Amino acid sequence: MNAPIIDPLQGDFPEVIEEYLEHGVMKCIAFNRRGTLLAAGCSDGNCVIWDFETRGIAKELRDKECNAAITSVCWSKYGHRILVSAADKSLTLWDVVSGERITRTILQQTPLQARLHPGSSTPSLCLACPLSSAPMIVDLTTGSTTVLPVSVPDAGNGLVPASRNKFSDGTPPFTPTAACFNKYGDLVYVGNSKGEILIIDYKTIQVHAMVPVTGGAVIKNIVFSRNGQYLLTNSNDRTLRIYENLLPLKDGRRALDDLEATHKELNGVEKLKAVGSKCLTLFRDFQDSVTKVHWKAPCFSGDGEWVVGGCASKGEHKIYIWDRAGHLVKILEGPKEALIDLAWHPVHPIVVSVSLTGLVYIWAKDYTENWSAFAPDFKELEENEEYVEREDEFDLVPETEKVKESDVNEDDEVDIVTLEKDSAFSDSDMSQDELCFLPAIPSPDVPEQQDKGVESSSKLVDSNHSGSPLSEEAGPNGRATNHASSPLEDNSIADDAGGSRMKRKRKPSEKILELQAEKVKKPLKPSGRLSKVKNKSVADLDNEDNSNLYI
């Protein structure tokens, strides 16, 4: 299955696990717009911000009032704020730089996903998708909510009475519904349980278009590409579908009015479908025709050229990557842990996935050295070859054949102020107020406790008396060096020895080691050979043993 179906040199996509991040039990992740910071929501209610360049923790947002698991995290357009939704039905807006909580809103249902309005640098509106109710627009400043329609009314005029802040009954008959803003946030795209994509103006709560999905299966996920030209849906029929956005990126609301004006002869659902056919068109669909797996957390790559989807099977950490033409180019197989969330880096070919155990895996491309990229005439050899030089290979080049001098005027001023435009971002997205990095706060070193030092030294003393081979070594001045001594004592010995302590030590001979073992097992008798050994130093015995080797 991992055999390359197309030439892998046609595009960059991740191949292997490069590293993993570990901090508590992480549940969901999100990159900022530049991909320099990675936010991860944990099961204890905290939000951790990783510096993706250094792979270190830049900041941790702690809410004393929230101990429930985080269900989603979302960055604002310029990265100054983060919206966190939790399983305790709360929506919390954080200031990233100061680490302070701005607002906290409690909903009536648990929000599975929450997205800030993409058209503002300091958004106060968000789109929340609760567990068992229709998607809603939440004003984080006032706490008011506006429920969006999830089906087309019978009257066909697109108007649905909005219920604010409360539902008619405590358990609305809605399944979890997917929804997202378009690129600039003037329209909301909702995927309902009937297999329909509704295009809604959230300000007037009016449905302007409807696009039926083939098969009519429940739409579980819906997401736009970064450039806003493609829409990706994940349905319950185990199929991912790409729709091409035919509306202009800006002033989409005005374009809808023009389309409605051209279909005045139609009414009701037929009119909504006619307008919807001019808004979205099916581009491609993806599925695994062999295993028929369900998909989880599908998304686009940063440039929109690749589509990635995680396998929703238990005990499998597989990530499928397709090109936009529909070819399967890679299957990434990770550890035997279920995948719960993933995200593609906005700029680089890097995929970050979250496992059920709370680890974050970083998938990157496996680069190989290609010297021909630096020297086009370089040729790699499989084995040594005999080379015969040409007759004129090392001849001096005549002056007439020298390379012509460059026509560049060296007196021209070099512009070092103007920033080059990044092809990955449009001109309208450029902002000098964007937050890309957080200042690092160094943590002080924890001093070692004295009792640990005493305990470790006592263990060394015990090992010294146990007769281990490396417990004692002969010093250059004839004294036995005790390894249980502290570094200060070792320094004092080195000073007394006049620098000779730094020489390489000799390893004790087998005879000395046998004598050391006998000393520990039983006391030595002052008779015969052992009485003479007792009066000798260890160094003398070592020298005597070495001299016997030459006899």
Short mmCIF file of all heavy atoms in Angstrom, two decimals, residues 46-83:
data_model
loop_
_atom_site.label_atom_id
_atom_site.label_comp_id
_atom_site.label_asym_id
_atom_site.label_seq_id
_atom_site.Cartn_x
_atom_site.Cartn_y
_atom_site.Cartn_z
N ASN A 46 -6.19 22.57 30.60
CA ASN A 46 -5.14 23.53 30.27
C ASN A 46 -4.89 23.56 28.78
O ASN A 46 -5.16 22.59 28.06
CB ASN A 46 -3.84 23.18 31.01
CG ASN A 46 -3.99 23.27 32.51
OD1 ASN A 46 -4.84 24.02 33.02
ND2 ASN A 46 -3.21 22.50 33.24
N CYS A 47 -4.34 24.67 28.31
CA CYS A 47 -3.95 24.84 26.92
C CYS A 47 -2.47 25.15 26.87
O CYS A 47 -2.01 26.13 27.48
CB CYS A 47 -4.77 25.95 26.26
SG CYS A 47 -4.39 26.21 24.50
N VAL A 48 -1.73 24.32 26.15
CA VAL A 48 -0.28 24.46 26.07
C VAL A 48 0.07 25.02 24.70
O VAL A 48 -0.44 24.56 23.67
CB VAL A 48 0.42 23.10 26.28
CG1 VAL A 48 1.94 23.26 26.25
CG2 VAL A 48 0.00 22.49 27.59
N ILE A 49 0.95 26.02 24.68
CA ILE A 49 1.43 26.62 23.43
C ILE A 49 2.88 26.22 23.24
O ILE A 49 3.73 26.56 24.07
CB ILE A 49 1.26 28.15 23.44
CG1 ILE A 49 -0.21 28.52 23.64
CG2 ILE A 49 1.81 28.75 22.16
CD1 ILE A 49 -0.45 30.02 23.73
N TRP A 50 3.15 25.50 22.16
CA TRP A 50 4.49 25.03 21.85
C TRP A 50 5.13 25.97 20.84
O TRP A 50 4.48 26.42 19.89
CB TRP A 50 4.47 23.62 21.25
CG TRP A 50 3.94 22.56 22.17
CD1 TRP A 50 2.64 22.24 22.40
CD2 TRP A 50 4.70 21.67 22.99
NE1 TRP A 50 2.53 21.22 23.29
CE2 TRP A 50 3.79 20.84 23.66
CE3 TRP A 50 6.07 21.48 23.19
CZ2 TRP A 50 4.20 19.85 24.54
CZ3 TRP A 50 6.48 20.50 24.06
CH2 TRP A 50 5.56 19.68 24.73
N ASP A 51 6.42 26.28 21.06
CA ASP A 51 7.22 26.94 20.04
C ASP A 51 7.65 25.87 19.05
O ASP A 51 8.47 25.02 19.37
CB ASP A 51 8.43 27.63 20.67
CG ASP A 51 9.18 28.50 19.67
OD1 ASP A 51 9.21 28.14 18.48
OD2 ASP A 51 9.74 29.53 20.07
N PHE A 52 7.09 25.91 17.85
CA PHE A 52 7.31 24.81 16.92
C PHE A 52 8.72 24.82 16.34
O PHE A 52 9.17 23.81 15.79
CB PHE A 52 6.28 24.85 15.79
CG PHE A 52 6.09 23.53 15.11
CD1 PHE A 52 5.44 22.49 15.75
CD2 PHE A 52 6.56 23.32 13.83
CE1 PHE A 52 5.27 21.27 15.13
CE2 PHE A 52 6.39 22.09 13.19
CZ PHE A 52 5.75 21.07 13.85
N GLU A 53 9.43 25.93 16.44
CA GLU A 53 10.79 25.97 15.94
C GLU A 53 11.74 25.26 16.90
O GLU A 53 12.62 24.50 16.48
CB GLU A 53 11.24 27.43 15.75
CG GLU A 53 10.37 28.21 14.78
CD GLU A 53 10.46 27.68 13.35
OE1 GLU A 53 11.52 27.13 13.01
OE2 GLU A 53 9.49 27.82 12.60
N THR A 54 11.57 25.49 18.19
CA THR A 54 12.45 24.87 19.19
C THR A 54 11.85 23.62 19.82
O THR A 54 12.54 22.92 20.56
CB THR A 54 12.77 25.88 20.30
OG1 THR A 54 11.55 26.26 20.96
CG2 THR A 54 13.41 27.13 19.71
N ARG A 55 10.56 23.37 19.56
CA ARG A 55 9.83 22.24 20.13
C ARG A 55 9.80 22.31 21.66
O ARG A 55 9.86 21.29 22.34
CB ARG A 55 10.44 20.91 19.67
CG ARG A 55 10.62 20.81 18.17
CD ARG A 55 9.29 20.77 17.45
NE ARG A 55 9.44 21.03 16.02
CZ ARG A 55 9.73 20.10 15.10
NH1 ARG A 55 9.92 18.86 15.47
NH2 ARG A 55 9.81 20.43 13.83
N GLY A 56 9.76 23.51 22.18
CA GLY A 56 9.65 23.71 23.62
C GLY A 56 8.36 24.43 23.97
O GLY A 56 7.72 25.07 23.12
N ILE A 57 7.95 24.35 25.22
CA ILE A 57 6.72 24.99 25.68
C ILE A 57 6.98 26.48 25.86
O ILE A 57 7.86 26.89 26.61
CB ILE A 57 6.23 24.36 27.00
CG1 ILE A 57 5.86 22.89 26.77
CG2 ILE A 57 5.04 25.12 27.55
CD1 ILE A 57 5.41 22.17 28.02
N ALA A 58 6.21 27.30 25.14
CA ALA A 58 6.36 28.75 25.23
C ALA A 58 5.44 29.35 26.29
O ALA A 58 5.80 30.33 26.94
CB ALA A 58 6.08 29.40 23.87
N LYS A 59 4.25 28.78 26.46
CA LYS A 59 3.30 29.31 27.46
C LYS A 59 2.26 28.24 27.75
O LYS A 59 1.96 27.40 26.90
CB LYS A 59 2.64 30.60 26.97
CG LYS A 59 1.83 31.34 28.03
CD LYS A 59 1.30 32.63 27.48
CE LYS A 59 2.41 33.66 27.31
NZ LYS A 59 2.96 34.10 28.62
N GLU A 60 1.73 28.28 28.96
CA GLU A 60 0.66 27.38 29.36
C GLU A 60 -0.47 28.19 29.96
O GLU A 60 -0.28 28.95 30.91
CB GLU A 60 1.17 26.34 30.36
CG GLU A 60 0.14 25.27 30.71
CD GLU A 60 0.73 24.14 31.54
OE1 GLU A 60 1.93 24.21 31.86
OE2 GLU A 60 -0.02 23.20 31.87
N LEU A 61 -1.65 28.05 29.37
CA LEU A 61 -2.83 28.80 29.81
C LEU A 61 -3.63 27.91 30.76
O LEU A 61 -4.14 26.86 30.37
CB LEU A 61 -3.68 29.19 28.61
CG LEU A 61 -2.95 29.96 27.50
CD1 LEU A 61 -3.88 30.23 26.33
CD2 LEU A 61 -2.36 31.26 28.03
N ARG A 62 -3.74 28.35 32.01
CA ARG A 62 -4.43 27.57 33.04
C ARG A 62 -5.67 28.32 33.50
O ARG A 62 -5.61 29.50 33.84
CB ARG A 62 -3.52 27.32 34.25
CG ARG A 62 -2.29 26.48 33.93
CD ARG A 62 -1.41 26.33 35.16
NE ARG A 62 -0.26 25.48 34.92
CZ ARG A 62 -0.24 24.18 35.12
NH1 ARG A 62 -1.33 23.56 35.55
NH2 ARG A 62 0.84 23.46 34.87
N ASP A 63 -6.78 27.63 33.51
CA ASP A 63 -8.04 28.19 33.98
C ASP A 63 -8.45 27.43 35.24
O ASP A 63 -8.72 26.22 35.19
CB ASP A 63 -9.12 28.08 32.91
CG ASP A 63 -10.37 28.87 33.27
OD1 ASP A 63 -10.41 29.42 34.39
OD2 ASP A 63 -11.29 28.93 32.44
N LYS A 64 -8.50 28.14 36.36
CA LYS A 64 -8.83 27.49 37.63
C LYS A 64 -10.28 26.99 37.65
O LYS A 64 -10.60 26.07 38.41
CB LYS A 64 -8.59 28.46 38.79
CG LYS A 64 -7.13 28.89 38.94
CD LYS A 64 -6.96 29.85 40.10
CE LYS A 64 -5.49 30.27 40.24
NZ LYS A 64 -5.30 31.23 41.36
N GLU A 65 -11.14 27.61 36.85
CA GLU A 65 -12.54 27.23 36.84
C GLU A 65 -12.84 26.06 35.91
O GLU A 65 -13.97 25.57 35.88
CB GLU A 65 -13.40 28.43 36.45
CG GLU A 65 -13.28 29.62 37.40
CD GLU A 65 -14.18 30.76 36.98
OE1 GLU A 65 -15.08 30.50 36.14
OE2 GLU A 65 -14.00 31.89 37.47
N CYS A 66 -11.85 25.64 35.13
CA CYS A 66 -12.09 24.58 34.14
C CYS A 66 -11.17 23.40 34.43
O CYS A 66 -9.94 23.54 34.42
CB CYS A 66 -11.85 25.10 32.72
SG CYS A 66 -12.06 23.84 31.44
N ASN A 67 -11.77 22.27 34.72
CA ASN A 67 -11.02 21.02 34.90
C ASN A 67 -11.41 19.95 33.90
O ASN A 67 -10.93 18.82 33.98
CB ASN A 67 -11.23 20.48 36.33
CG ASN A 67 -10.67 21.42 37.39
OD1 ASN A 67 -9.61 22.01 37.19
ND2 ASN A 67 -11.39 21.58 38.49
N ALA A 68 -12.30 20.31 32.96
CA ALA A 68 -12.77 19.34 31.97
C ALA A 68 -11.84 19.32 30.77
O ALA A 68 -11.01 20.22 30.57
CB ALA A 68 -14.19 19.68 31.54
N ALA A 69 -11.98 18.30 29.95
CA ALA A 69 -11.12 18.14 28.78
C ALA A 69 -11.43 19.21 27.74
O ALA A 69 -12.58 19.64 27.57
CB ALA A 69 -11.32 16.75 28.18
N ILE A 70 -10.39 19.63 27.03
CA ILE A 70 -10.54 20.61 25.96
C ILE A 70 -11.01 19.88 24.69
O ILE A 70 -10.47 18.84 24.33
CB ILE A 70 -9.22 21.35 25.69
CG1 ILE A 70 -8.73 22.03 26.98
CG2 ILE A 70 -9.38 22.37 24.59
CD1 ILE A 70 -9.66 23.07 27.53
N THR A 71 -12.02 20.45 24.02
CA THR A 71 -12.55 19.82 22.81
C THR A 71 -12.02 20.45 21.53
O THR A 71 -11.96 19.77 20.50
CB THR A 71 -14.08 19.89 22.81
OG1 THR A 71 -14.48 21.28 22.90
CG2 THR A 71 -14.65 19.13 24.01
N SER A 72 -11.63 21.73 21.56
CA SER A 72 -11.07 22.38 20.37
C SER A 72 -10.33 23.64 20.78
O SER A 72 -10.60 24.23 21.82
CB SER A 72 -12.17 22.73 19.36
OG SER A 72 -12.98 23.78 19.86
N VAL A 73 -9.36 24.02 19.94
CA VAL A 73 -8.62 25.27 20.11
C VAL A 73 -8.60 25.98 18.76
O VAL A 73 -8.55 25.34 17.70
CB VAL A 73 -7.18 25.04 20.63
CG1 VAL A 73 -7.20 24.58 22.06
CG2 VAL A 73 -6.45 24.04 19.75
N CYS A 74 -8.62 27.31 18.79
CA CYS A 74 -8.66 28.09 17.56
C CYS A 74 -7.91 29.40 17.78
O CYS A 74 -8.13 30.10 18.78
CB CYS A 74 -10.11 28.37 17.14
SG CYS A 74 -10.25 29.38 15.64
N TRP A 75 -7.02 29.74 16.83
CA TRP A 75 -6.26 30.99 16.88
C TRP A 75 -7.05 32.10 16.19
O TRP A 75 -7.81 31.84 15.25
CB TRP A 75 -4.92 30.83 16.18
CG TRP A 75 -3.95 29.93 16.85
CD1 TRP A 75 -3.90 28.57 16.77
CD2 TRP A 75 -2.87 30.32 17.71
NE1 TRP A 75 -2.86 28.09 17.53
CE2 TRP A 75 -2.20 29.14 18.12
CE3 TRP A 75 -2.40 31.54 18.17
CZ2 TRP A 75 -1.10 29.15 18.96
CZ3 TRP A 75 -1.30 31.55 19.01
CH2 TRP A 75 -0.65 30.38 19.40
N SER A 76 -6.83 33.31 16.63
CA SER A 76 -7.35 34.45 15.89
C SER A 76 -6.48 34.69 14.66
O SER A 76 -5.45 34.05 14.46
CB SER A 76 -7.38 35.70 16.78
OG SER A 76 -6.06 36.06 17.18
N LYS A 77 -6.89 35.62 13.82
CA LYS A 77 -6.22 35.81 12.53
C LYS A 77 -4.76 36.16 12.71
O LYS A 77 -3.90 35.62 11.99
CB LYS A 77 -6.95 36.92 11.75
CG LYS A 77 -6.38 37.16 10.37
CD LYS A 77 -7.18 38.20 9.63
CE LYS A 77 -6.62 38.42 8.22
NZ LYS A 77 -7.39 39.44 7.46
N TYR A 78 -4.43 37.03 13.63
CA TYR A 78 -3.06 37.48 13.81
C TYR A 78 -2.40 36.86 15.03
O TYR A 78 -1.32 37.28 15.43
CB TYR A 78 -3.00 39.00 13.90
CG TYR A 78 -3.45 39.67 12.62
CD1 TYR A 78 -4.24 40.81 12.63
CD2 TYR A 78 -3.07 39.15 11.38
CE1 TYR A 78 -4.66 41.41 11.45
CE2 TYR A 78 -3.48 39.75 10.20
CZ TYR A 78 -4.27 40.88 10.23
OH TYR A 78 -4.67 41.46 9.06
N GLY A 79 -3.03 35.87 15.64
CA GLY A 79 -2.39 35.08 16.68
C GLY A 79 -2.35 35.71 18.06
O GLY A 79 -1.66 35.17 18.93
N HIS A 80 -3.06 36.79 18.29
CA HIS A 80 -3.02 37.43 19.61
C HIS A 80 -4.00 36.80 20.59
O HIS A 80 -3.86 37.00 21.80
CB HIS A 80 -3.32 38.93 19.48
CG HIS A 80 -2.25 39.69 18.76
ND1 HIS A 80 -1.09 40.12 19.36
CD2 HIS A 80 -2.16 40.08 17.46
CE1 HIS A 80 -0.34 40.76 18.49
NE2 HIS A 80 -0.96 40.75 17.33
N ARG A 81 -4.99 36.05 20.08
CA ARG A 81 -5.99 35.45 20.96
C ARG A 81 -6.21 33.99 20.59
O ARG A 81 -6.00 33.59 19.43
CB ARG A 81 -7.32 36.22 20.87
CG ARG A 81 -7.21 37.65 21.38
CD ARG A 81 -8.55 38.35 21.36
NE ARG A 81 -8.46 39.72 21.88
CZ ARG A 81 -9.48 40.54 22.03
NH1 ARG A 81 -10.71 40.14 21.67
NH2 ARG A 81 -9.32 41.74 22.52
N ILE A 82 -6.65 33.23 21.57
CA ILE A 82 -6.96 31.82 21.38
C ILE A 82 -8.32 31.53 22.01
O ILE A 82 -8.59 31.95 23.15
CB ILE A 82 -5.89 30.91 22.02
CG1 ILE A 82 -4.65 30.87 21.15
CG2 ILE A 82 -6.39 29.51 22.23
CD1 ILE A 82 -3.58 29.95 21.67
N LEU A 83 -9.18 30.84 21.26
CA LEU A 83 -10.48 30.42 21.76
C LEU A 83 -10.40 28.94 22.11
O LEU A 83 -9.98 28.12 21.29
CB LEU A 83 -11.57 30.67 20.73
CG LEU A 83 -12.98 30.23 21.10
CD1 LEU A 83 -13.49 31.04 22.29
CD2 LEU A 83 -13.93 30.36 19.92
#
